[in-house]
């Protein structure tokens, strides 16, 4: 009877040890598989974000380098009350907003103040003014920070694009365009 008991206990210990080793191996391989899968998703998302940012930068560069847009913005800023200039510029801004799914597009003047917007309530706060002035100072498109809108609690990201016009052989800043997007639609 003792020999049988020792045999049964030994056999049970071997089965338990084998089961434990199998479980640990299975757990380790499952965790590694999940880590590899998450790393792949991570790498894919980083690639998508880089492409998305490059697309937005190209949008900004096309506005920044376009003399027709600069002329339209400058003409509007010179005579903001002219209904034809306002409606023409607003029609272009709205078509750009619809085509590229921007949340809002605004025009700002040399002081960084928003003077025209595709939204009913333009986002004319001090933070936008500071970043618009930074874009004018840098003389190139400028990505703002992610920000939570106080009124709606929505998160937005804006791209500030200075618009330059030729005067006296120089290219000077006439104002600019703010392309505001909803990062929730793509970034996360």
């Amino acid at each position: 009877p003792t020999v049988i008991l020792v045999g049964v206990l030994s056999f049970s210990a071997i089965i338990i040890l084998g089961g434990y080793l199998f479980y640990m191996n299975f757990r380790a391989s499952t965790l590694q598989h999940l880590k590899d899968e998450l790393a792949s998703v991570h790498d894919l998302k980083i690639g998508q974000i880089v492409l998305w940012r490059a697309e937005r930068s190209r949008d900004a560069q096309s506005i920044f380098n376009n003399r027709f847009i600069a002329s339209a913005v400058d003409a509007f800023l010179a005579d903001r009350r002219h209904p034809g200039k306002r409606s023409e510029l607003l029609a272009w801004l709205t078509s750009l907003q619809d085509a590229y799914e921007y949340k809002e597009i605004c025009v700002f003047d040399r002081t960084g103040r928003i003077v025209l917007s595709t939204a009913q309530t333009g986002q004319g706060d001090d933070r936008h003014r500071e970043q618009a002035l930074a874009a004018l100072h840098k003389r190139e498109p400028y990505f703002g920070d992610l920000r939570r809108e106080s009124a709606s609690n929505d998160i937005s990201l804006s791209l500030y694009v200075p618009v330059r016009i030729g005067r006296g052989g120089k290219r000077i800043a006439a104002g600019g365009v703010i392309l505001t997007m909803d990062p929730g639609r793509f970034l996360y």
Side-chain angles (χ1 to χ4, degrees), residues 4 22 37 44 61 68 104 112 125 136 144 149 163:
I4 295 175
F22 175 79
E37 199 171 302
L44 179 63
Q61 285 298 325
F68 293 112
E104 179 181 6
D125 62 15
L136 290 173
E149 301 298 332
V163 174

Side-chain angles (χ1 to χ4, degrees), residues 82-165:
H82 190 281
K85 292 175 185 176
R86 180 182 185 80
S87 64
E88 187 177 296
L89 186 57
L90 192 56
W92 172 73
L93 294 173
T94 302
S95 71
L96 184 67
Q97 178 182 8
D98 293 342
Y100 297 103
E101 298 181 340
Y102 285 105
K103 186 175 178 180
E104 179 181 6
I105 302 179
C106 303
V107 172
F108 61 90
D109 64 13
R110 284 185 185 97
T111 67
R113 190 170 60 91
I114 293 175
V115 294
L116 183 65
S117 173
T118 58
Q120 293 293 336
T121 57
Q123 337 166 338
D125 62 15
D126 288 337
R127 188 159 172 196
H128 276 293
R129 179 174 277 173
E130 289 170 14
Q131 293 186 345
L133 290 172
L136 290 173
H137 179 71
K138 290 181 179 190
R139 298 185 182 133
E140 63 182 26
Y142 171 75
F143 270 98
D145 297 327
L146 287 171
R147 57 183 275 151
R148 186 173 301 275
E149 301 298 332
S150 56
S152 64
N153 212 25
D154 293 337
I155 295 175
S156 65
L157 176 67
S158 296
L159 180 53
Y160 300 83
V161 185
V163 174
R164 301 170 306 153
I165 54 167

Side-chain angles (χ1 to χ4, degrees), residues 6-125:
V6 169
V8 168
L9 288 176
S10 297
F11 184 69
S12 296
I14 290 172
I15 290 176
I16 290 172
L17 180 62
Y20 176 76
L21 291 175
F22 175 79
Y23 167 76
M24 292 307 286
N25 185 37
F26 178 75
R27 181 174 178 241
S29 68
T30 301
L31 284 174
Q32 187 59 46
H33 175 73
L34 290 174
K35 286 178 183 178
D36 292 344
E37 199 171 302
L38 282 174
S40 295
V41 170
H42 174 264
D43 292 342
L44 179 63
K45 193 61 177 178
I46 286 174
Q48 288 176 334
I49 290 170
V50 167
L51 287 174
W52 176 83
R53 190 176 193 284
E55 287 173 3
R56 300 294 73 84
S57 292
R58 283 192 300 273
D59 292 348
Q61 285 298 325
S62 71
I63 294 169
F64 181 69
N65 294 320
N66 191 315
R67 292 177 190 242
F68 293 112
I69 294 170
S71 294
V73 169
D74 185 47
F76 168 73
L77 291 173
D79 185 9
R80 296 178 195 166
R81 296 175 194 235
H82 190 281
K85 292 175 185 176
R86 180 182 185 80
S87 64
E88 187 177 296
L89 186 57
L90 192 56
W92 172 73
L93 294 173
T94 302
S95 71
L96 184 67
Q97 178 182 8
D98 293 342
Y100 297 103
E101 298 181 340
Y102 285 105
K103 186 175 178 180
E104 179 181 6
I105 302 179
C106 303
V107 172
F108 61 90
D109 64 13
R110 284 185 185 97
T111 67
R113 190 170 60 91
I114 293 175
V115 294
L116 183 65
S117 173
T118 58
Q120 293 293 336
T121 57
Q123 337 166 338
D125 62 15

